[in-house]
Amino acid sequence: MGAAAMAFALWTRHLKHSPSAPGWPDRDRFVLSAGHGSMLLYALLHLSGYGVTLDDLRAFRQIDSRTAGHPEYGLLPGVEITTGPLGQGLGAAVGMAIAEAHLAARYNSDDLTVVDHFTYVIAGDGDLMEGVSSEAASLAGHLGLGKLIVLYDDNRISIEGSTELTFTEDREARFAAYDWQVQHVADGNDVDAVDRALAAAKAETRRPSLICVRTHIGFGSPAKQDTAAAHGAPLGEEEVRAAKEALGWPVEPAFLVPDDVLSFFRQASAEGAAAELAWRSRMARWRRLRPDLAAEWDRVARRELPDGWDQAVPSYGQHDGGVATRVAAGAALNVLAAALPELVGGSADLGPSNNTGIAGGGDLSSDHPAGRVLHFGVREHAMAAACNGMALHGDLRPFCGTFLVFADYLRPALRLAALMRLPVIYIFTHDSIGLGEDGPTHQPVEHLAMLRATPDVTVIRPADANEAVVAWKMALRADGPVCLALSRQKLPVIDRAVYAAADGLERGAYVLADTSDGEAPSLILIASGSEVQLALSAHRRLCAEGQAVRVVNMGSWEIFERQEAAYRERVLPARTPLRLAVEAGSTFGWERWVGLDGAVIGLDRFGASAPAPQLFEKFGITAEAVYARARELLASFGEDRSI
């Protein structure tokens, strides 16, 4: 109610959109970062002609309704992003603005513009309180994202009461320090004042803009205006009636949209449709003049990979010695980036460690928006949120990198990427205690379990350099978020002349080494990542003793679960209940694969600061420990053939 006037000014006088073509590439993006005000967006979509009906509005927050409690991407046309967790919408909007700037630099020419649109946000006090907004706003100011415009709904009320309780800094000075243009509208119901501020923001091309609009939460409600009671809870029938009477609005019917109001909004939408048609005309001319770029545009829009895209990826052999999977993944990225111009991303100040650079790609900056390497700085929250926005914008395939332990910092955005099934690639290096001397603060223990527990997230932990290359190819074929867990330390290249091919990883888990005589195994060793080497070493000793042992490389639980039942049974046959898993992290979750009769060698405590070999020895994650535990299991179930 308090933000209605500013939304009216934006949607009827400035927002370039076409309800008949909600996915029109050059539309302005609108992000309701203050997602608890979702009914405002739903009402705007109804009035503008997006096919949102009065029945949809009546079903607000009900089971199977398209009008969920917070906006959900994919439920309704016109909802650009899932919001609700405060600050995430603003962070993603920064990514949308990055995408617009980059694509404009790539596809526009001096005489023909096909990418030219704004990203608008309505944000509230909660958005600005959350730390992600500080990171995102700092990054946006640094990058000079002049087409990002944020309307700040400054109603000065949060759930616990007045923002005087907790939020008293000078927000305008804060954003000015981020190098934003800052304006102030004293009366949020002054539509013309908001209109002028929006026009001034659009005219400022060097800096993003914050428009602080002083509003009144629950405007018109006699008992609840300017109170926390109007925040996140219904007014109630009596107060709704009183508010309508106070505003001079008919009390009945409950849902009333006068014909002249509807006609006015539809006329504003018609102007957007005309802009869309003009763009399509320019696009047709651009296609004739730049058929090469047009073909690329179409392919990327369809999320297709070009012919031969993976033909030049590196391969590794015994002569290469030890290769860290982070290094192999970085080499693969550089080869793939040459074939896929849509690959754009970077690291949270860890590029040399994460190997996220693109040779010749150039740094994406305010002076060079065509660059493909983003330096996010030490801003994991904003990095992941921005990647969501880049993916939602379309025509880019974003990736971002940090240490696996710092997945904690970006998990809110990763979770939203999973909710929206966004194809963001996360490069998580330093994936175990193998990072050594940095100690327990930097050694991930619970992080693989945390990522695997998140629905619709695919985690891939390759066992050697060749699997790291395969993992990148898998990530690019995926239609949702993918996490690559990569080693800091060098790992031996598995001899594929002796063991199964690396592309077995494409099925999530595969038989890497089997029994020496091809018979059914008595024991299955299961491992991922660097610990596959430990399983192979134990396997060689056990087979030399005549034991019937198999090694299963389980690089991705999620992909293995998606395989047909017959394949899963071939890899992990039910008739072999003796199983031993090994992974240098939390054992949580491994019981689903080893069963009641199996065991897990892992790490259910925090690490320590020491060289990696000493740590693996200290915590009993060694080939000797795998061998000894395997012998114990075989003996306890009468399967030890050496007895």
Side-chain angles (χ1 to χ4, degrees), residues 127-163:
D127 290 297
L128 268 57
M129 287 189 218
E130 287 285 1
V132 64
S133 71
S134 298
E135 292 186 13
S138 174
L139 180 62
H142 168 71
L143 292 175
L145 300 177
K147 290 186 177 178
L148 173 64
I149 299 172
V150 178
L151 289 159
Y152 167 35
D153 180 16
D154 184 13
N155 61 39
R156 303 183 187 180
I157 294 292
S158 62
I159 289 176
E160 293 184 354
S162 168
T163 53

Coordinates of all heavy atoms in Angstrom, one line a residue, residues 127-163:
D127 N 16.1 -5.2 3.0 CA 17.1 -5.4 1.9 C 18.4 -4.7 2.2 O 19.5 -5.2 2.0 CB 16.5 -5.0 0.6 CG 15.4 -5.8 0.1 OD1 15.7 -7.0 -0.2 OD2 14.3 -5.3 0.0
L128 N 18.3 -3.4 2.6 CA 19.5 -2.6 2.9 C 20.2 -3.0 4.2 O 21.4 -2.8 4.3 CB 19.1 -1.2 2.9 CG 19.2 -0.4 1.5 CD1 18.3 -1.1 0.5 CD2 18.8 1.0 1.7
M129 N 19.5 -3.7 5.1 CA 20.1 -4.1 6.3 C 21.0 -5.4 6.0 O 22.1 -5.5 6.6 CB 19.1 -4.5 7.4 CG 18.4 -3.3 8.0 SD 17.4 -3.9 9.4 CE 16.0 -2.8 9.3
E130 N 20.5 -6.3 5.2 CA 21.2 -7.5 5.0 C 22.6 -7.2 4.3 O 22.7 -6.3 3.5 CB 20.4 -8.4 4.0 CG 19.2 -9.1 4.7 CD 19.6 -10.2 5.6 OE1 20.8 -10.5 5.8 OE2 18.7 -10.8 6.2
G131 N 23.6 -8.0 4.8 CA 24.9 -7.7 4.3 C 25.1 -7.9 2.8 O 26.0 -7.2 2.2
V132 N 24.4 -8.7 2.2 CA 24.5 -8.9 0.7 C 24.3 -7.6 0.0 O 24.9 -7.4 -1.1 CB 23.6 -10.1 0.2 CG1 22.1 -9.7 0.4 CG2 23.9 -10.4 -1.2
S133 N 23.4 -6.8 0.5 CA 23.2 -5.5 -0.2 C 24.4 -4.6 -0.2 O 24.7 -3.9 -1.2 CB 21.9 -4.8 0.4 OG 22.2 -4.3 1.6
S134 N 25.1 -4.6 0.9 CA 26.3 -3.8 1.0 C 27.4 -4.3 -0.1 O 28.0 -3.5 -0.8 CB 26.9 -3.9 2.4 OG 26.0 -3.3 3.3
E135 N 27.6 -5.6 -0.1 CA 28.5 -6.2 -1.1 C 28.1 -5.8 -2.5 O 28.9 -5.4 -3.3 CB 28.6 -7.7 -0.9 CG 29.3 -8.1 0.4 CD 29.5 -9.6 0.4 OE1 29.3 -10.3 -0.6 OE2 29.8 -10.2 1.5
A136 N 26.8 -6.1 -2.8 CA 26.3 -5.9 -4.1 C 26.3 -4.4 -4.6 O 26.7 -4.1 -5.7 CB 24.9 -6.4 -4.2
A137 N 25.9 -3.5 -3.7 CA 26.0 -2.1 -4.0 C 27.4 -1.6 -4.2 O 27.6 -0.8 -5.1 CB 25.3 -1.3 -2.9
S138 N 28.3 -2.1 -3.4 CA 29.7 -1.7 -3.6 C 30.2 -2.2 -4.9 O 30.9 -1.4 -5.7 CB 30.6 -2.3 -2.5 OG 31.9 -2.1 -2.7
L139 N 29.9 -3.4 -5.3 CA 30.3 -3.9 -6.6 C 29.7 -3.1 -7.8 O 30.3 -2.8 -8.8 CB 29.9 -5.4 -6.7 CG 30.3 -6.1 -8.0 CD1 31.8 -6.1 -8.2 CD2 29.8 -7.5 -8.0
A140 N 28.4 -2.8 -7.6 CA 27.7 -2.1 -8.7 C 28.3 -0.7 -8.9 O 28.4 -0.2 -10.0 CB 26.2 -2.0 -8.3
G141 N 28.6 0.0 -7.8 CA 29.2 1.3 -7.9 C 30.6 1.2 -8.5 O 30.9 2.1 -9.4
H142 N 31.3 0.2 -8.2 CA 32.7 0.0 -8.7 C 32.6 -0.2 -10.3 O 33.4 0.3 -11.0 CB 33.4 -1.1 -8.1 CG 34.6 -1.6 -8.8 ND1 35.8 -0.8 -8.8 CD2 34.9 -2.7 -9.5 CE1 36.7 -1.5 -9.5 NE2 36.2 -2.6 -10.0
L143 N 31.6 -1.0 -10.7 CA 31.5 -1.3 -12.1 C 30.7 -0.2 -12.9 O 30.6 -0.3 -14.1 CB 30.7 -2.6 -12.3 CG 31.5 -3.9 -11.8 CD1 30.6 -5.1 -11.9 CD2 32.8 -4.1 -12.6
G144 N 30.2 0.8 -12.2 CA 29.5 1.9 -12.9 C 28.3 1.4 -13.6 O 28.1 1.8 -14.8
L145 N 27.5 0.7 -13.0 CA 26.3 0.1 -13.7 C 25.2 1.2 -13.7 O 24.2 1.2 -12.9 CB 25.8 -1.1 -12.9 CG 26.8 -2.3 -12.8 CD1 26.3 -3.4 -12.0 CD2 27.2 -2.8 -14.2
G146 N 25.3 2.0 -14.7 CA 24.4 3.2 -14.8 C 22.9 2.8 -15.1 O 22.1 3.7 -15.0
K147 N 22.7 1.6 -15.6 CA 21.3 1.2 -15.9 C 20.6 0.4 -14.8 O 19.6 -0.2 -15.0 CB 21.3 0.4 -17.2 CG 21.6 1.3 -18.4 CD 21.5 0.6 -19.7 CE 21.7 1.5 -20.9 NZ 21.6 0.8 -22.2
L148 N 21.2 0.5 -13.6 CA 20.6 -0.1 -12.4 C 20.0 1.0 -11.6 O 20.7 1.9 -11.2 CB 21.7 -0.9 -11.6 CG 21.2 -1.4 -10.3 CD1 20.1 -2.5 -10.4 CD2 22.4 -2.0 -9.5
I149 N 18.7 0.9 -11.3 CA 17.9 1.9 -10.6 C 17.2 1.3 -9.5 O 16.3 0.4 -9.7 CB 17.0 2.7 -11.5 CG1 17.8 3.4 -12.6 CG2 16.2 3.7 -10.7 CD1 16.9 4.1 -13.7
V150 N 17.4 1.7 -8.2 CA 16.8 1.1 -7.1 C 15.9 2.1 -6.4 O 16.3 3.2 -6.1 CB 17.8 0.6 -6.1 CG1 17.1 0.0 -4.8 CG2 18.7 -0.5 -6.7
L151 N 14.6 1.8 -6.3 CA 13.6 2.6 -5.5 C 13.6 2.0 -4.1 O 13.2 0.9 -3.9 CB 12.3 2.5 -6.2 CG 12.1 3.2 -7.5 CD1 10.9 2.6 -8.3 CD2 11.9 4.7 -7.3
Y152 N 14.0 2.8 -3.2 CA 14.1 2.4 -1.8 C 12.8 2.8 -1.1 O 12.6 4.0 -0.9 CB 15.4 3.0 -1.1 CG 15.4 2.9 0.4 CD1 14.9 1.8 1.1 CD2 16.0 3.9 1.1 CE1 15.0 1.7 2.5 CE2 16.1 3.8 2.5 CZ 15.6 2.8 3.2 OH 15.7 2.7 4.5
D153 N 12.0 1.8 -0.7 CA 10.8 2.0 0.0 C 11.1 2.3 1.5 O 11.1 1.5 2.4 CB 9.9 0.8 -0.1 CG 8.6 0.9 0.6 OD1 8.2 2.0 1.0 OD2 8.0 -0.2 0.9
D154 N 11.3 3.6 1.8 CA 11.8 4.0 3.1 C 10.6 4.3 4.0 O 10.3 5.4 4.3 CB 12.7 5.3 2.9 CG 13.3 5.8 4.2 OD1 13.3 5.0 5.2 OD2 13.8 6.9 4.2
N155 N 10.0 3.2 4.5 CA 8.9 3.3 5.4 C 9.2 3.3 6.8 O 8.4 3.5 7.7 CB 7.8 2.3 5.1 CG 8.2 0.9 5.2 OD1 9.0 0.5 6.2 ND2 7.8 0.0 4.3
R156 N 10.5 2.9 7.1 CA 11.0 3.0 8.5 C 10.4 2.1 9.5 O 10.3 2.4 10.7 CB 11.0 4.5 9.0 CG 11.8 5.4 8.0 CD 11.9 6.8 8.5 NE 12.5 7.6 7.4 CZ 12.7 8.9 7.5 NH1 12.4 9.6 8.6 NH2 13.2 9.6 6.5
I157 N 9.9 1.0 9.0 CA 9.2 0.0 9.8 C 9.8 -1.4 9.5 O 9.8 -1.7 8.3 CB 7.7 0.0 9.7 CG1 7.1 1.3 10.2 CG2 7.1 -1.2 10.4 CD1 7.2 1.5 11.7
S158 N 10.1 -2.2 10.5 CA 10.5 -3.6 10.3 C 9.5 -4.4 11.2 O 8.7 -3.8 11.9 CB 11.9 -3.8 10.6 OG 12.2 -3.5 12.0
I159 N 9.7 -5.7 11.2 CA 8.8 -6.5 12.0 C 8.7 -6.2 13.4 O 7.7 -6.3 14.1 CB 9.2 -8.0 11.7 CG1 8.8 -8.4 10.3 CG2 8.4 -8.9 12.7 CD1 9.3 -9.8 9.9
E160 N 9.9 -5.9 14.0 CA 9.9 -5.6 15.5 C 9.5 -4.2 15.9 O 9.3 -3.9 17.0 CB 11.3 -5.9 16.0 CG 11.7 -7.4 15.9 CD 13.0 -7.7 16.6 OE1 13.7 -6.7 17.0 OE2 13.4 -8.9 16.7
G161 N 9.3 -3.3 14.9 CA 8.9 -2.0 15.2 C 9.6 -1.0 14.3 O 10.1 -1.3 13.2
S162 N 9.8 0.2 14.8 CA 10.5 1.3 14.1 C 12.0 0.9 13.8 O 12.6 0.2 14.6 CB 10.5 2.6 14.9 OG 11.4 3.5 14.3
T163 N 12.4 1.3 12.6 CA 13.8 1.0 12.3 C 14.8 1.8 13.2 O 16.0 1.6 13.2 CB 14.1 1.4 10.8 OG1 13.7 2.8 10.6 CG2 13.4 0.5 9.9

